[in-house]
Amino acid sequence: MSSSTPSVAENRPTRSFFAGPKEQGRWLLWRAAGEAFLAAALVLLAHEGVSTIDGRLEGAAPALGLIGIPLVLVRRRFPVACVVGLAALMGVVSAVALLTAVAAYTAARQLRTPRRRVGVLLGAGALTMLTCAAFAPGLNVGSRLFGLALGAVFAGTTIVVPGLVGTAGGQQDRLLRALRERAAAAEEARRLADSESRMRERSRIAAEMHDLVGHRLSLVSLHAGGLEMALQKEAPELRDEAAVVRRATRDAMQELREALGVLGPLGSDTGTGALTDATGTRADIEALVEESRSGGIPVAFSWDGPDLDARPAQVRRAVHRVVRESLTNVHRYAAGAHVTVEVRHTDERVAVRVRNGVPPTRPAAVTGLGSGRGLTGLRERVALLGGSLEVGRTPGGGFAVAAGIPATPGPGAETADAAADDSGSAPVDESRSRLSVLQRRVAGAVIGLLGLAGVGMMMLFGILLVDRSRYDLAYQSPEKPRLGMTREQVERAVAADDDASRAAAAGREPPRPASATDCMYPYSDTKLKGGRMQIVRYCFRSDTLIAIDRFTVPIVTEPPRESRTHD
């Protein structure tokens, strides 16, 4: 039985050959086209640089270096295979050296396991050395020993060094990713904690509203019932109106419980914090102060203005919460510090300020200012009334909490400051974010090009040093040239034929043997006294060495440019 539901493999997007981990989009093709152009340019630059040092180091046909372009394009998808393939190709075609450096950097940056990363880099380097040593004689580059030295230069400069840089870059990327994840988790935890604090404070407000309004409605329902019974005999025509009031009050009480019950109000407070009609009045605040004094906190209390018994209940409870939370924080984090509690009541506003000094002894555990969740709830409560709350350290090293609450909160004051104090993440400017990403990519491209330039300079310098030692390293043979050797044996024992030596010997060399068909003039830097240079000539008859002649020729030096004269 067939099913029309597509399988998971069919829904999974196909990953492009040019894409790295978690990369998708058509822009990958444009990036691959640009990288192909840059790779071709790098092949040509490396070919010209190596050819400038010595034409024999070009290796195979330069067109063979174009094979490295598709390999470097898929380095993000197949990093290990790309590095190994380019390392083997570099032993034959030195023009792909810079492409190998790019692949080694990418592979080392993507591989997470240190053992695998070291194995890939060392294996690729060893493969380059073996390939150079194996193909050097066949490509007329030099002996196997010279090819091994040349491969060591390639392996060190284009595989090991970029691999180390890529390893450092990969570790930095993983560290930054972990730090971002931890920062995001911490921010989410803080946001959830603040949200929970607000919900707890709103639950307390809901509980208070339930106590106050429910108490008033209960009284109204009670009096309406009594009125209904009293009017049953004296004014039967008004009895039904009293019954309507009682039923409406009962329904309002039920609806209030249903509306506030979804908030899950907390348990009732006890002690001086009990939610009563006296909460937030002068007597209530004095009771809080006395309770702190009995706990060993020296508290100075002042009240300016009339009592708050005529103010709305939510205002009195906000004043109570501000004073109680502030004194609680003093008990927790500044025990023994002198505290000042000030309440100023005017016709328009109630100002509450609780300030403490530096505690005489440092707390046993350094807690700082705490989590701030209680203050977050206070700020939410005050903001819902249209007021403001300011908290912070004082110049003397203490801490102060100052709240300004409207004496008569307006109907639209609940949302103005609450939205302003929202702890949600600030909006991100998309244009700036895109510009920052573009700047990072441009900076990365510039740094990459500079790094490639540095790798190229190191590679050319190493090749130059190895090439200069060619005649001491590449053509050492345990068997000295002797008569009867073949031309191939002589070429392995001495340096290659040199056009400059041949030109210097022209007209100054002894007569060649009559049966000689060809002569060879290896490069020589042996300079004798008297401004002369020694040249060794090897003459062959049908690829067989028949004569070895040594003679000297004068060294011709170019006169200084200042001494030249023109007719």
Side-chain angles (χ1 to χ4, degrees):
M1 181 176 62
S2 62
S3 175
S4 60
T5 304
S7 62
V8 177
E10 293 176 354
N11 293 333
R12 186 178 301 170
T14 304
R15 183 179 172 186
S16 173
F17 286 100
F18 312 120
K22 300 180 180 180
E23 287 185 342
Q24 292 181 358
R26 295 184 177 181
W27 64 275
L28 297 174
L29 297 177
W30 293 100
R31 185 181 68 179
E35 290 182 349
F37 175 79
L38 292 177
L42 292 177
V43 170
L44 294 177
L45 287 176
H47 174 71
E48 292 295 330
V50 173
S51 301
T52 302
I53 296 177
D54 195 331
R56 285 169 293 185
L57 299 178
E58 297 178 4
L64 192 59
L66 299 178
I67 300 177
I69 296 179
L71 287 177
V72 79
L73 293 182
V74 299
R75 69 188 185 279
R76 297 181 179 89
R77 179 73 183 275
F78 310 103
V80 176
C82 181
V83 173
V84 173
L86 285 172
L89 184 61
M90 183 172 56
V92 181
V93 185
S94 58
V96 299
L98 294 181
L99 300 186
T100 308
V102 175
Y105 172 82
T106 303
R109 190 160 188 164
Q110 289 188 3
L111 296 177
R112 296 177 177 271
T113 307
R115 181 178 300 177
R116 187 182 182 191
R117 187 165 51 240
V118 172
V120 169
L121 294 179
L122 293 182
L127 182 60
T128 299
M129 296 174 62
L130 293 177
T131 308
C132 281
F135 286 91
L139 298 175
N140 294 325
V141 175
S143 65
R144 299 187 186 278
L145 184 59
F146 176 77
L148 189 65
L150 187 63
V153 171
F154 283 134
T157 56
T158 64
I159 295 179
V160 176
V161 172
L164 293 177
V165 177
T167 300
Q171 291 178 348
Q172 183 180 10
D173 290 343
R174 289 186 285 273
L175 177 60
L176 289 177
R177 191 180 303 112
L179 291 178
R180 290 192 187 100
E181 292 176 356
R182 292 185 61 182
E187 181 65 20
E188 181 67 15
R190 185 194 66 82
R191 188 187 65 80
L192 293 177
D194 291 346
S195 177
E196 180 183 0
S197 177
R198 288 188 176 87
M199 292 303 299
R200 290 172 63 89
E201 190 63 24
R202 290 174 182 176
S203 298
R204 291 191 183 98
I205 296 174
E208 295 168 10
M209 292 179 61
H210 180 273
D211 293 342
L212 291 176
V213 180
H215 178 67
R216 299 300 182 186
L217 290 177
S218 298
L219 292 178
V220 173
S221 178
L222 179 63
H223 288 292
L227 182 60
E228 181 182 0
M229 296 179 62
L231 293 177
Q232 185 175 3
K233 296 180 179 180
E234 299 180 2
E237 66 278 4
L238 299 178
R239 177 178 174 274
D240 293 338
E241 299 295 334
V244 171
V245 173
R246 181 175 56 83
R247 286 194 298 270
T249 304
R250 183 190 59 192
D251 295 340
M253 185 66 181
Q254 183 65 26
E255 292 175 356
L256 177 65
R257 289 174 177 173
E258 293 177 356
L260 298 181
V262 298
L263 297 177
L266 302 179
S268 301
D269 294 333
T270 58
T272 57
L275 303 178
T276 65
D277 291 342
T279 299
T281 60
R282 180 167 183 169
D284 178 59
I285 302 303
E286 288 178 347
L288 290 176
V289 171
E290 286 298 329
E291 184 177 313
S292 295
R293 287 173 179 170
S294 63
I297 303 296
V299 184
F301 173 69
S302 64
W303 185 290
D304 186 9
D307 205 342
L308 296 178
D309 50 0
R311 293 301 179 185
Q314 60 265 36
V315 175
R316 291 186 280 110
R317 273 152 177 75
V319 173
H320 173 89
R321 294 289 186 186
V322 170
V323 175
R324 189 174 70 172
E325 182 68 26
S326 301
L327 292 178
T328 301
N329 288 338
V330 172
H331 282 275
R332 290 177 179 175
Y333 311 118
H338 185 271
V339 184
T340 301
V341 179
E342 301 175 356
V343 179
R344 180 174 298 178
H345 178 203
T346 61
D347 294 336
E348 294 82 14
R349 202 166 187 82
V350 179
V352 182
R353 181 178 177 85
V354 181
R355 180 177 57 187
N356 66 272
V358 180
T361 58
R362 191 172 183 178
V366 180
T367 57
L369 302 179
S371 63
R373 299 176 186 175
L375 298 178
T376 301
L378 285 182
R379 186 177 286 106
E380 177 76 9
R381 174 184 287 269
V382 173
L384 288 174
L385 298 177
S388 61
L389 182 72
E390 297 180 359
V391 297
R393 291 192 176 276
T394 61
F399 198 78
V401 178
I405 307 170
T408 305
E414 289 83 359
T415 59
D417 290 342
D421 188 61
D422 189 6
S423 63
S425 59
V428 180
D429 191 345
E430 294 184 359
S431 60
R432 291 186 178 180
S433 178
R434 293 177 180 177
L435 182 60
S436 177
V437 172
L438 180 61
Q439 289 176 348
R440 288 197 298 267
R441 289 182 177 178
V442 172
V446 173
I447 294 175
L449 292 177
L450 293 177
L452 279 177
V455 169
M457 294 298 295
M458 289 191 299
M459 180 190 69
L460 294 178
F461 183 71
I463 293 175
L464 183 63
L465 291 179
V466 174
D467 186 68
R468 291 302 180 187
S469 62
R470 173 190 300 271
Y471 308 107
D472 297 328
L473 176 65
Y475 293 96
Q476 296 294 332
S477 176
E479 186 177 6
K480 298 296 183 179
R482 55 181 176 78
L483 300 180
M485 294 180 66
T486 63
R487 186 182 184 92
E488 183 179 358
Q489 292 175 339
V490 174
E491 288 179 349
R492 292 180 180 179
V494 300
D497 193 12
D498 186 65
D499 293 337
S501 299
R502 184 183 296 271
R508 300 180 180 87
E509 59 182 326
R512 296 183 179 183
S515 60
T517 58
D518 187 21
C519 291
M520 178 179 174
Y521 301 83
Y523 173 80
S524 176
D525 58 354
T526 305
K527 297 179 181 180
L528 305 177
K529 295 181 179 181
R532 301 184 69 85
M533 180 179 64
Q534 184 181 28
I535 295 180
V536 181
R537 184 184 65 186
Y538 300 90
C539 294
F540 301 88
R541 181 178 67 242
S542 301
D543 291 337
T544 302
L545 182 62
I546 60 173
I548 301 177
D549 301 314
R550 290 179 174 82
F551 56 93
T552 60
V553 297
I555 299 177
V556 180
T557 58
E558 185 179 4
R561 295 186 178 183
E562 292 77 2
S563 62
R564 294 182 181 178
T565 59
H566 301 277
D567 296 336

